[in-house]
Amino acid sequence: MKEYNPKEIEDKWQKEWEKSGIYKIDDNSDNPKYYSLIEFPYPSGDGLHVGHPRPYIGLDIVSRKRRMQGYNVLYPIGWDAFGLPTENYAIKTGKNPRKVTKENTDTFKRQIQSLGISFDWSREINTTDPKYYKWTQWIFLKFLEHGLAYKAKMPINWCPKDKIGLANEEVVDGKCERCGMEVVQKEKEQWMLAITKYADKLLSGLDTVDYPERVKIQQRNWIGKSEGAEISFEVDKSESLKVFTTRPDTIFGATFLVVAGKVDRFTGKYAINPATEEKIPVWEAEYVLADYGTGAIMGVPADDERDMEFAKKNNLPIVTEYKKAGFEDFGTKVVKYKLRDWVFSRQRYWGEPIPVVHCDKCGTVPLPESELPLLLPEVKNYQPTDTGESPLATIEEWVNTTCPTCGGMAKRETDTMPNWAGSSWYFLAYLFNKEGFEGPVSIENWKLQIKNFRHFMPVDWYNGGMEHTVLHLLYSRFWNKFLFDIGLVPASEPYKKRTSHGIILAEGGEKMSKSKGNVINPDSIVERFGADTLRLYEMFMGPFEQAIEWNESSLIGPRRFLERVWKLKEKLALTKSSDVSFGKHDQTSLDKVFPFATTLLNQTIKKVSEDIETLGFNTAISTLMIFANDLDRREKVFKEDYETLLKLLAPFAPHMTEEIWSGLGHTSSIHREQWPEFDETKLVSDEVIIVVQVNGKVRGQFSALSSINEKDAVGVAKNLLEIQKWIGDKTVQKSVYVPAKLVNFVTD
Ligand code: ANZ
Ligand code: ZN
C-alpha cells in the first residue's frame, strides 16, 4: 500500500479544487445562504506565522460542514493593507508602499493557500486598491452629506524632536516610540465622525445579536451610557456651576464641589447647596475629567469613595447622616455617554485621501462622485512633515486644484483616513459583483449591489481577535447602521454571531514576534508534516477560545492519527458483508449482533456535529480519534463506517480525506457529500456480553444486543475463532442458550 504522503496529496487537491472552483459561491443557487467571515489580515512584512491561521481553520471547518449540509456558503478573504507598519517600512527603506503591499500580500496568499482553506478567492479584496477605496471615499461623502462628518480642533500626538504627528500606537507610556521623547499635544483641525449620534442604536442593537456576553459588556462600557441629573449650584449670587451626578438623591450629603481643569474661575469660591442651603467650597482636582458630564461634580464623601478620600486629604467637611432627596427634586434629568466622536483624520501618507477641497469662497467642498477615486499620489518622501501635515501637503501640484463648485483656486484636504476606514464596510465589498468594482462610483451602481446584500447579509458567523471586540466591531456596526438608515443596506446589524479565538504563543509562553525571534513560520511545518497535520494540530492543541503555547513535539499525535485513518482502508478489502470471518450475516443482522459499532458511530456523528457549532474543535477531534481507534481494533471495517469517519474528518483534514475518497472510487468531491446524520434511537446501546462455553468451560465471549435471539447467538458463537478451535472436528450434539447471557456447546 502507498504510504501517506501529504505533500503530493495536498498540492494535487489544491490545484484540483482551484480548477473546479468548488469553494466559489453559486450565484444561481436556491440553497439557503451561509456567510462566514474572519477578520481579514494585515499583510505585514513578517509573513504569516502559525497564529494567523487558527481562526481561518476554525471557520473553515464550520464553512465546510455548512456546504455538506447543503448551504450556499460564502467564505471570503482579503487584505486590510493601509496603515502604519507598511508606511514605516517605506519611510525606512524608501520603498513604495504599494510595491511593499504587493510583495506582502503575495507571500501571505501563497502561505494561506498552502493550508487548503476553502476561501472563495474569486472575491478577494484589497483596501488599498483604488477600485475598493473609491467606495470608502464615497461612504465618507455620504457621512458628510448627512452631517455626520465635520471638522473640529482636536489635539494630535506631537513629537517635538522628530517633529511629526504620531498615531496612538506609536506613543508608548507617553513617549515617542522612535526617539523616546515626551510626546506633547498639538491642536489641529481634524475630521470627525459623529458616532455619538449612534450611541443608543449601537447599544440597543446589542440585544439582538449573538455575541459573547463579555463582548457585549465591553461595548456597553465603551459607550458608557449614564442616566442622571444636572444640578446648578449658585456661586457668588450672580453665577452658577453645573454638576453632573447619577445620584441626585445624595445632594443633602454634598459638602463641596470639585471642578476639572487647571485654573477654573470658580476654584476657591463658595457655592450654595440648594438642598441644605449651606455654603460649600469649590475645589479642583484631577480625578474630575474635563470632557465628561459637565466637568464638575458635587462631592458626597459619605457615598462616594473618591470624594471621601479627597475630603479627608483636604480636611473638607464630611456628613454621614443626611436626608435622601427624591430623584426629581433638584436639577434636570440628563443622559451622558463616555463615547466620543471618532477622530477620522491622520496626518499620514498610506491611507485613503479624504475627498474634499477647501475653497476660500465656498468653504469645504466635497468632490463630486464622478471624480472618485481620488487617487493617492506618488510622493518622494513618506515621512510626515515638520508642520504636522501629512506628506501629501508637500506635493503642490496635487494640493492646488480648482473648486468643483465655483471653479476658483482651491486646496485639497491632505489628511488621510485611519486604518479603521477600509475595515468598516469590507463585509459588503465581498458581496460586490464585477460592476461594483469596475463600474462608476454612483448611487445607481451601489444599488446594483443591494440584491447581493439582501441575499447574503447579515454575516452569519464572524470570528476575530479579542483585541478587536471594541473598536473595529463598534466602528463597523456604526457604518453599517448609518448605511442602513439611508437605505443602502438591508440589515441594521452586520453580524449575527461573533466569536473570538485565543492567540498562539511561542514555546515558553511569550507572544510571537519578529523582534523576539520566536516566530514559527507555517511553511516549514507544512513542509515537514503536511497542511492537514498542521490544521488538525491547531484545532486539537486546546480550547479554541484560549491562548495556547505552540509545542512542536505535539504535532506528531495528529500526524499519527491521520496515518492510522489512512491505513484503515486496508481493512476494507474483505469487507463485503457476506464475507466476514465471524459468520455469514448480512449487514443488518451484523448490526444486531455487533451493536457497539453502531452506537459509537451514532454517538460520534452527534458529538462531532455539535462540537463544531460550539467551537469545540479539540473535543470533536478526540471523538474522531476514539472512533478511528475502535475501527482499527476490529478485524474488518465496513465501508459505510469508514466513509462516515472520512466525511466527519473532511472539514478538519480536507486533503487526505479527499484523496482516500477518490481512491474508494467516488468521482465527486467528499466536500460536496452530505453531512452524516445520526439516529437518535441508536445513541444508547443495550449491549450485553454473552459468554461462550464448550462442554461447560468458558472459551470465549462476544458482545450483542440483549434482544439477540437464540439462532443468531448460537450462530455467532459457533463461528468465533477461539470456539472453532475447541470444537474442531467434533460434532456439536447440543447447544444451550441462556438468553443474553450464555451459549454452551456440548460435543461428543
Ligand atoms: C454624586 C455622587 C454620589 C456620585 C455618589 C456618585 C456616587 P458614571 O456612572 O461614570 O456616569 N462624575 C460626574 N462627572 C464626572 C467627571 N467629569 N469626572 C469624574 N467623575 C464625574 O458616574 C457618574 C458619577 O461620577 C457622578 O455621580 C459623579 O459623582 C461622578 F454616592 O455625583 B456622582
Ligand atoms: Zn469654491
Side-chain angles (χ1 to χ4, degrees):
M1 191 191 76
K2 252 183 104 172
E3 286 284 306
Y4 172 45
N5 178 353
K7 183 119 199 49
E8 193 181 297
I9 294 171
E10 289 170 2
D11 285 350
K12 172 175 128 190
W13 287 110
Q14 282 164 19
K15 289 201 186 92
E16 192 60 40
W17 293 331
E18 202 189 319
K19 215 169 73 198
S20 65
I22 68 166
Y23 304 130
K24 282 192 187 159
I25 54 159
D26 177 357
D27 286 330
N28 303 311
S29 170
D30 291 330
N31 293 351
K33 67 94 183 182
Y34 199 85
Y35 188 174
S36 346
L37 186 68
I38 45 104
E39 281 171 353
F40 61 161
Y42 181 84
S44 75
D46 300 352
L48 206 71
H49 70 62
V50 289
H52 283 106
R54 196 178 190 198
Y56 312 163
I57 300 166
L59 276 207
D60 190 40
I61 291 165
V62 172
S63 302
R64 286 175 181 279
K65 181 187 172 199
R66 287 288 181 281
R67 283 191 202 94
M68 293 172 80
Q69 289 175 313
Y71 287 86
N72 185 26
V73 174
L74 173 60
Y75 188 33
I77 185 166
W79 315 105
D80 188 15
F82 273 132
L84 272 188
T86 304
E87 172 157 342
N88 286 341
Y89 184 76
I91 291 171
K92 218 167 67 188
T93 61
K95 267 192 168 180
N96 186 325
R98 221 179 305 277
K99 283 209 189 92
V100 175
T101 298
K102 173 80 172 73
E103 284 165 22
N104 293 350
T105 48
D106 283 351
T107 306
F108 264 64
K109 187 170 178 175
R110 177 186 59 72
Q111 292 185 298
I112 292 174
Q113 286 186 328
S114 79
L115 302 175
I117 292 163
S118 64
F119 288 128
D120 180 347
W121 286 97
S122 71
R123 305 214 150 234
E124 181 182 349
I125 54 170
N126 186 327
T127 56
T128 65
D129 183 345
K131 288 177 184 153
Y132 183 99
Y133 72 67
K134 66 185 180 188
W135 288 107
T136 314
Q137 292 174 330
W138 186 76
I139 297 171
F140 175 83
L141 293 181
K142 291 283 157 207
F143 276 117
L144 194 62
E145 187 185 320
H146 288 83
L148 293 170
Y150 64 95
K151 284 201 111 171
K153 260 207 168 7
M154 294 295 287
I156 59 168
N157 303 307
W158 177 254
C159 172
K161 182 150 173 264
D162 290 342
K163 294 206 172 80
I164 53 165
L166 300 172
N168 285 337
E169 306 91 282
E170 294 175 303
V171 182
V172 180
D173 295 330
K175 298 198 175 68
C176 172
E177 191 188 46
R178 305 145 182 250
C179 69
M181 184 82 171
E182 197 82 29
V183 168
V184 297
Q185 305 285 302
K186 186 169 173 164
E187 292 267 307
K188 192 188 171 298
E189 280 250 305
Q190 308 220 52
W191 282 99
M192 308 289 292
L193 288 189
I195 189 172
T196 53
K197 291 231 166 83
Y198 274 75
D200 277 321
K201 286 183 177 175
L202 288 166
L203 273 178
S204 60
L206 288 174
D207 298 333
T208 67
V209 291
D210 176 12
Y211 293 3
E213 201 45 41
R214 172 180 49 78
V215 173
K216 289 190 182 183
I217 290 169
Q218 280 178 313
Q219 295 229 344
R220 285 192 192 110
N221 288 345
W222 191 264
I223 297 166
K225 181 176 182 170
S226 283
E227 293 180 17
E230 278 180 1
I231 304 177
S232 283
F233 287 72
E234 203 178 280
V235 188
D236 283 350
K237 297 247 161 14
S238 55
E239 285 189 288
S240 67
L241 177 58
K242 216 187 252 175
V243 306
F244 171 64
T245 174
T246 46
R247 295 288 308 279
D249 60 312
T250 64
I251 188 165
F252 283 97
T255 51
F256 55 93
L257 303 183
V258 190
V259 292
K262 291 282 172 307
V263 193
D264 191 281
R265 64 202 164 91
F266 291 115
T267 311
K269 297 187 174 170
Y270 283 85
I272 307 290
N273 181 327
T276 61
E277 293 180 352
E278 277 177 30
K279 270 177 95 174
I280 57 172
V282 182
W283 285 65
E284 72 174 49
E286 279 196 355
Y287 77 93
V288 176
L289 309 170
D291 66 347
Y292 183 62
T294 60
I297 65 152
M298 59 182 197
V300 186
D303 278 280
D304 186 291
E305 262 178 49
R306 286 178 313 174
D307 294 346
M308 179 59 109
E309 217 179 285
F310 188 72
K312 281 187 179 158
K313 210 170 110 195
N314 299 294
N315 285 320
L316 292 165
I318 296 166
V319 291
T320 46
E321 302 267 316
Y322 63 87
K323 186 176 132 194
K324 287 265 142 89
F327 207 88
E328 287 295 289
D329 289 357
F330 299 91
T332 47
K333 230 180 173 171
V334 286
V335 178
K336 300 282 179 193
Y337 298 89
K338 295 243 158 55
L339 186 68
R340 294 283 161 266
D341 277 348
W342 176 3
V343 182
F344 199 67
S345 285
R346 297 292 181 274
Q347 292 70 45
R348 288 308 188 120
Y349 174 72
W350 194 228
E352 301 88 345
I354 292 176
V356 301
V357 303
H358 302 286
C359 167
D360 280 345
K361 231 163 80 199
C362 315
T364 300
V365 182
L367 285 190
E369 282 174 352
S370 59
E371 287 188 28
L372 300 184
L374 169 60
L375 291 175
L376 190 58
E378 301 290 331
V379 288
K380 288 198 193 73
N381 188 354
Y382 306 102
Q383 185 96 20
T385 67
D386 56 13
T387 57
E389 302 290 336
S390 102
L392 298 182
T394 63
I395 319 172
E396 279 185 25
E397 60 280 22
W398 186 78
V399 173
N400 295 320
T401 183
T402 49
C403 168
T405 307
C406 71
M409 298 251 286
K411 283 191 187 301
R412 288 195 195 280
E413 171 64 64
T414 59
D415 281 0
T416 54
M417 298 188 197
N419 187 217
W420 306 105
S423 59
S424 289
W425 71 282
Y426 76 116
F427 44 91
L428 297 169
Y430 283 135
L431 304 172
F432 270 20
N433 59 26
K434 205 161 177 261
E435 182 67 10
F437 291 111
E438 302 300 331
V441 190
S442 65
I443 188 82
E444 291 75 26
N445 194 3
W446 181 276
K447 283 190 170 158
L448 289 179
Q449 314 308 320
I450 292 184
K451 182 170 156 262
N452 269 355
F453 298 162
R454 279 226 173 83
H455 187 65
F456 279 100
M457 288 299 287
V459 171
D460 291 278
W461 190 334
Y462 187 21
N463 185 83
M466 315 265 184
E467 71 277 19
H468 290 138
T469 47
V470 179
L471 294 184
H472 160 63
L473 220 53
L474 206 65
Y475 291 156
S476 54
R477 290 179 62 224
F478 165 47
W479 279 44
N480 189 78
K481 279 180 183 299
F482 165 66
L483 293 172
F484 175 75
D485 284 353
I486 61 172
L488 297 184
V489 297
S492 77
E493 281 293 336
Y495 322 118
K496 216 184 212 169
K497 169 177 174 156
R498 165 81 183 191
T499 54
S500 289
H501 57 278
I503 58 170
I504 295 184
L505 302 165
E507 289 192 52
E510 287 200 298
K511 237 180 135 156
M512 279 192 195
S513 81
K514 205 180 183 184
S515 58
K516 289 196 186 110
N518 58 7
V519 171
I520 310 269
N521 183 328
D523 289 356
S524 70
I525 307 295
V526 170
E527 184 64 33
R528 281 182 299 150
F529 294 88
D532 280 342
T533 298
L534 175 65
R535 293 171 59 107
L536 214 59
Y537 169 63
E538 291 211 2
M539 294 299 102
F540 189 55
M541 64 197 300
F544 187 71
E545 288 171 285
Q546 284 174 23
I548 192 113
E549 255 179 64
W550 181 260
N551 180 349
E552 180 141 342
S553 58
S554 301
L555 275 154
I556 198 68
R559 172 63 193 249
R560 292 217 172 105
F561 165 58
L562 290 179
E563 279 168 8
R564 171 166 282 183
V565 175
W566 177 261
K567 283 203 189 105
L568 265 177
K569 62 185 174 177
E570 283 176 68
K571 299 200 172 187
L572 285 180
L574 292 170
T575 327
K576 275 179 284 161
S577 49
S578 55
D579 197 14
V580 216
S581 68
F582 28 64
K584 306 235 180 284
H585 297 271
D586 62 19
Q587 170 93 41
T588 26
S589 71
L590 273 164
D591 266 359
K592 264 191 250 154
V593 180
F594 294 98
F596 183 58
T598 310
T599 308
L600 188 66
L601 175 78
N602 281 284
Q603 287 170 343
T604 302
I605 297 172
K606 181 170 195 282
K607 178 91 174 116
V608 173
S609 304
E610 289 174 357
D611 282 357
I612 290 175
E613 300 307 316
T614 56
L615 300 173
F617 304 117
N618 55 334
T619 49
I621 292 170
S622 48
T623 303
L624 289 170
M625 287 174 168
I626 290 168
F627 186 53
N629 287 349
D630 184 73
L631 293 184
D632 203 18
R633 264 197 301 273
R634 293 185 229 169
E635 211 170 327
K636 302 295 170 220
V637 171
F638 292 128
K639 196 172 174 199
E640 210 181 307
D641 290 353
Y642 187 52
E643 290 194 344
T644 302
L645 171 68
L646 293 177
K647 286 183 211 167
L648 295 175
L649 182 60
F652 298 84
H655 309 88
M656 188 194 77
T657 49
E658 185 81 306
E659 174 73 11
I660 302 176
W661 188 254
S662 93
L664 292 175
H666 298 282
T667 49
S668 61
S669 170
I670 190 170
H671 303 297
R672 288 291 180 189
E673 280 298 306
Q674 249 206 310
W675 185 251
E677 296 202 3
F678 59 90
D679 181 342
E680 196 75 52
T681 67
K682 290 188 178 152
L683 289 171
V684 200
S685 86
D686 54 349
E687 181 194 13
V688 289
I689 301 288
I690 295 179
V691 171
V692 187
Q693 299 178 339
V694 179
N695 297 323
K697 287 222 168 77
V698 177
R699 299 298 185 192
Q701 64 176 50
F702 65 95
S703 59
L705 281 182
S706 60
S707 57
I708 189 170
N709 63 28
E710 177 164 2
K711 185 166 158 266
D712 282 341
V714 169
V716 174
K718 198 184 274 180
N719 279 298
L720 294 173
L721 290 177
E722 56 271 37
I723 298 303
Q724 298 234 308
K725 207 166 74 193
W726 287 100
I727 295 177
D729 301 336
K730 295 171 197 146
T731 321
V732 174
Q733 290 179 330
K734 190 169 107 178
S735 59
V736 181
Y737 179 56
V738 182
K741 284 215 172 67
L742 178 133
V743 178
N744 184 25
F745 294 110
V746 181
T747 64
D748 49 11

